[in-house]
Amino acid sequence: MTSPSGDGSGAQPLIIDTSKPHPARMYDYFLGGKDNYEVDREAAEQFIKAAPEVREGVRANRSFMHRAVRHVVEEGGIRQILDIGTGLPTEPNVHQIAHAVAPDTRIVYVDNDPIVSTHSMALMEDTDTSVILADLRDPRAILDHPEVRKAIDFDRPVAVLLVAVVHFLPDDVDPYGIVATLRDALPTGSYLVLSHATGDIHEDGRHDAASVYNRATASLNLRTHAQVLDFFGDFTLVDPGLVRVTHWRPEETPAPGAAPIGIYGGVARKNN
């Protein structure tokens, strides 16, 4: 991750660092995108060697996001979504999924990479979708950002999406405190959608794969099922709970012999 803008406005330009791999650009490469640099591609290929299932994993993660967004909009009645760590646009994106169910849904995309912000803004033509440049490590700046306050009414239920982003927060920045700040800002009836990489699924713990990110702008911090579960606090998980993303309300049963995907995903509601 790059540094927070500092004043919470998102107006200060951030320098695009092309000397180190960036998680959003590596993710784009895993998905087959073209918005990445040679340094990102080299790191991504190293990761693929250590974790050959990664391409299937990122696709499974996005499919989980699609299903989760449909759930909170269609079944949860959510009409406001704050997507933090959105990454480079990949169709269908959150606003397309949400608007297919409820066209009046307002979405705010948040990312700390100027490239992500620039690409996203170029694609957002409807007035119900906003893009801001801000950093998850400063959750208060996100919540207080004027564009967020303009688009999101925190007196009404909101869905916060933290999809494949919290694992880039090391323990020394207090990731649980960061997520708790976001949870505490939400009214009753709101949702938290979160997915997180884990080493639980593979015998080697995928430590070699995770170490590739030590040379990137953010480290990859794998966590256990119990540790990921703690991010939901006192929110109530909807069925089937916190499971591998391939097992969260799949539209079709995973194929026998498919590579196991080390990403947990869950959707939880604030009931009080």
Side-chain angles (χ1 to χ4, degrees):
M1 288 183 169
T2 50
S3 299
S5 61
D7 63 358
S9 69
Q12 296 182 18
L14 299 186
I15 296 173
I16 299 174
D17 185 356
T18 60
S19 67
K20 295 181 179 180
H22 190 284
R25 300 193 301 260
M26 290 175 65
Y27 195 89
D28 175 71
Y29 179 78
F30 292 140
L31 285 170
K34 302 185 185 305
D35 295 312
N36 47 71
Y37 295 99
E38 183 63 28
V39 66
D40 307 306
R41 294 189 285 273
E42 289 177 355
E45 285 295 337
Q46 291 174 12
F47 193 96
I48 290 169
K49 288 180 181 178
E53 76 285 353
V54 63
R55 290 191 186 276
E56 291 80 1
V58 295
R59 287 194 290 268
N61 181 69
R62 284 200 66 82
S63 294
F64 158 75
M65 182 270 285
H66 295 165
R67 299 192 300 274
V69 168
R70 280 196 296 269
H71 171 79
V72 300
V73 176
E74 188 168 14
E75 298 183 41
I78 291 295
R79 296 296 181 268
Q80 306 181 108
I81 298 175
L82 184 58
D83 181 8
I84 304 174
T86 180
L88 285 152
T90 302
E91 292 191 354
N93 220 322
V94 171
H95 69 287
Q96 294 165 317
I97 297 292
H99 288 168
V101 178
D104 60 334
T105 306
R106 294 194 299 275
I107 296 98
V108 178
Y109 290 115
V110 182
D111 206 281
N112 73 335
D113 184 354
I115 292 179
V116 170
S117 180
T118 300
H119 279 261
S120 296
M121 285 188 287
L123 294 175
M124 305 307 152
E125 296 180 354
D126 67 83
T127 57
D128 286 336
T129 302
S130 305
V131 181
I132 70 167
L133 190 61
D135 198 299
L136 175 58
R137 291 175 297 183
D138 191 352
R140 196 69 253 171
I142 294 174
L143 295 168
D144 293 338
H145 194 288
E147 288 297 321
V148 172
R149 288 289 165 176
K150 179 181 177 182
I152 303 292
D153 178 0
F154 284 96
D155 290 327
R156 297 172 52 233
V158 183
V160 169
L161 274 55
L162 295 172
V163 177
V165 64
V166 176
H167 48 228
F168 293 118
L169 297 175
D171 290 341
D172 61 9
V173 302
D174 188 17
Y176 293 99
I178 288 170
V179 177
T181 296
L182 295 169
R183 289 198 317 265
D184 291 346
L186 303 179
T188 299
S190 295
Y191 285 84
L192 173 62
V193 176
L194 184 146
S195 66
H196 194 297
T198 183
D200 289 353
I201 311 302
H202 299 93
E203 288 186 9
D204 66 357
R206 286 299 185 256
H207 299 300
D208 287 347
S211 68
V212 171
Y213 281 86
N214 293 340
R215 299 183 294 278
T217 58
S219 61
L220 177 60
N221 305 275
L222 304 176
R223 295 185 171 98
T224 66
H225 186 275
Q227 290 172 323
V228 177
L229 188 62
D230 283 345
F231 284 114
F232 292 94
D234 61 357
F235 280 30
T236 302
L237 283 157
V238 304
D239 289 336
L242 180 66
V243 296
R244 282 185 278 169
V245 290
T246 48
H247 292 67
W248 196 92
R249 304 192 179 194
E251 294 172 347
E252 52 187 52
T253 304
I261 303 302
I263 306 174
Y264 290 125
V267 177
R269 186 179 189 274
K270 186 171 187 175
N271 289 327
N272 51 52

